[in-house]
Amino acid sequence: DKAIQIFEDPTNPDDGFDVFLKYLQVTNIPFDLFQSLGKNHGLYFLVFDLQTNIRHGYWYDEDDFWVEKVMDSTFIKTLDEIFEYDEM
């Protein structure tokens, strides 16, 4: 439903960046696809499920499985602000 790209250093477009994708409804998160993309392209994936308040993380250069962590309300507010800022 919405995509936002945020550069680590906005003055250097060759620097690293994060891409945030927001889906209003997600029935199946394609974890296998994300894991495959991570392995094949050297990418890190974090999936923030706001329905369950669980953060799922995959790091291509570490163990070959997804790590889960419960998100606190402060972190969830930060995620919401990323998309609110883009609408201004």
Side-chain angles (χ1 to χ4, degrees), residues 50 53-54 69-79:
L50 299 179
N53 293 342
I54 301 286
K69 180 179 179 183
V70 175
M71 296 182 290
D72 64 24
S73 60
T74 303
F75 188 77
I76 293 169
K77 184 175 186 258
T78 300
L79 288 174

Side-chain angles (χ1 to χ4, degrees), residues 2 7-8 11 14 18 22-24 31 37 40 42 50 55-56 62 71 73 81 86:
K2 187 175 225 177
F7 286 92
E8 290 179 19
T11 63
D14 294 327
D18 296 323
K22 184 174 185 177
Y23 296 92
L24 294 179
F31 288 108
L37 288 170
N40 294 327
L50 299 179
R55 183 200 77 184
H56 307 269
E62 294 185 17
M71 296 182 290
S73 60
E81 288 172 353
D86 184 59

Side-chain angles (χ1 to χ4, degrees), residues 29-40:
I29 298 171
F31 288 108
D32 291 341
L33 172 63
F34 294 155
Q35 189 169 350
S36 178
L37 288 170
K39 287 181 198 176
N40 294 327

